[in-house]
Short mmCIF file of all heavy atoms in Angstrom, two decimals:
data_model
loop_
_atom_site.label_atom_id
_atom_site.label_comp_id
_atom_site.label_asym_id
_atom_site.label_seq_id
_atom_site.Cartn_x
_atom_site.Cartn_y
_atom_site.Cartn_z
N VAL C 306 -121.94 -84.75 -183.43
CA VAL C 306 -122.93 -85.95 -183.54
C VAL C 306 -124.17 -85.58 -182.86
O VAL C 306 -125.24 -85.83 -183.38
CB VAL C 306 -122.25 -87.11 -182.90
CG1 VAL C 306 -123.27 -88.28 -182.68
CG2 VAL C 306 -121.16 -87.70 -183.88
N LEU C 307 -124.12 -84.98 -181.63
CA LEU C 307 -125.38 -84.65 -181.01
C LEU C 307 -125.97 -83.38 -181.57
O LEU C 307 -127.16 -83.11 -181.45
CB LEU C 307 -124.98 -84.37 -179.47
CG LEU C 307 -126.22 -84.08 -178.52
CD1 LEU C 307 -127.20 -85.32 -178.51
CD2 LEU C 307 -125.76 -83.78 -177.17
N GLY C 308 -125.15 -82.66 -182.36
CA GLY C 308 -125.73 -81.50 -182.96
C GLY C 308 -126.69 -81.61 -184.06
O GLY C 308 -127.51 -80.80 -184.35
N LEU C 309 -126.76 -82.96 -184.65
CA LEU C 309 -127.61 -83.19 -185.68
C LEU C 309 -129.05 -83.08 -185.16
O LEU C 309 -129.97 -82.38 -185.57
CB LEU C 309 -127.22 -84.44 -186.38
CG LEU C 309 -128.26 -84.92 -187.46
CD1 LEU C 309 -128.48 -84.00 -188.61
CD2 LEU C 309 -127.89 -86.32 -188.02
N PRO C 310 -129.33 -83.99 -184.08
CA PRO C 310 -130.66 -83.92 -183.55
C PRO C 310 -130.97 -82.60 -182.94
O PRO C 310 -132.16 -82.05 -182.98
CB PRO C 310 -130.79 -85.09 -182.54
CG PRO C 310 -129.30 -85.42 -182.26
CD PRO C 310 -128.51 -85.04 -183.44
N ALA C 311 -130.02 -82.02 -182.38
CA ALA C 311 -130.20 -80.59 -181.66
C ALA C 311 -130.57 -79.65 -182.80
O ALA C 311 -131.45 -78.78 -182.56
CB ALA C 311 -128.95 -80.15 -180.93
N ALA C 312 -129.91 -79.67 -183.97
CA ALA C 312 -130.28 -78.69 -185.04
C ALA C 312 -131.72 -78.94 -185.54
O ALA C 312 -132.42 -78.03 -185.85
CB ALA C 312 -129.40 -78.85 -186.20
N VAL C 313 -132.14 -80.25 -185.60
CA VAL C 313 -133.58 -80.55 -186.01
C VAL C 313 -134.48 -80.01 -184.92
O VAL C 313 -135.50 -79.41 -185.34
CB VAL C 313 -133.58 -82.13 -186.09
CG1 VAL C 313 -135.26 -82.38 -186.35
CG2 VAL C 313 -132.85 -82.64 -187.29
N GLY C 314 -134.13 -80.25 -183.70
CA GLY C 314 -134.97 -79.59 -182.63
C GLY C 314 -135.04 -78.19 -182.72
O GLY C 314 -136.10 -77.60 -182.43
N GLY C 315 -133.88 -77.51 -182.93
CA GLY C 315 -133.89 -76.08 -182.97
C GLY C 315 -134.81 -75.54 -184.08
O GLY C 315 -135.48 -74.58 -183.95
N ALA C 316 -134.72 -76.19 -185.16
CA ALA C 316 -135.58 -75.77 -186.34
C ALA C 316 -137.03 -75.95 -185.99
O ALA C 316 -137.83 -75.10 -186.29
CB ALA C 316 -135.19 -76.56 -187.54
N ALA C 317 -137.41 -77.07 -185.31
CA ALA C 317 -138.71 -77.24 -184.96
C ALA C 317 -139.22 -76.16 -184.00
O ALA C 317 -140.37 -75.78 -183.98
CB ALA C 317 -138.92 -78.69 -184.35
N GLY C 318 -138.22 -75.79 -183.08
CA GLY C 318 -138.53 -74.80 -182.07
C GLY C 318 -138.83 -73.50 -182.71
O GLY C 318 -139.81 -72.76 -182.29
N ARG C 319 -138.11 -73.14 -183.77
CA ARG C 319 -138.41 -71.91 -184.41
C ARG C 319 -139.68 -71.90 -185.28
O ARG C 319 -140.34 -70.89 -185.34
CB ARG C 319 -137.18 -71.54 -185.40
CG ARG C 319 -136.05 -70.90 -184.65
CD ARG C 319 -134.90 -70.67 -185.60
NE ARG C 319 -134.25 -71.99 -185.89
CZ ARG C 319 -133.70 -72.19 -186.98
NH1 ARG C 319 -133.68 -71.25 -188.08
NH2 ARG C 319 -133.08 -73.35 -187.25
N LEU C 320 -140.13 -73.07 -185.58
CA LEU C 320 -141.45 -73.10 -186.32
C LEU C 320 -142.53 -73.09 -185.33
O LEU C 320 -143.71 -72.68 -185.62
CB LEU C 320 -141.62 -74.47 -186.97
CG LEU C 320 -140.81 -74.59 -188.44
CD1 LEU C 320 -141.04 -75.88 -189.03
CD2 LEU C 320 -141.19 -73.48 -189.32
#
Side-chain angles (χ1 to χ4, degrees):
Chain C
V306 166
L307 187 59
L309 174 61
V313 171
R319 277 175 288 147
L320 283 184

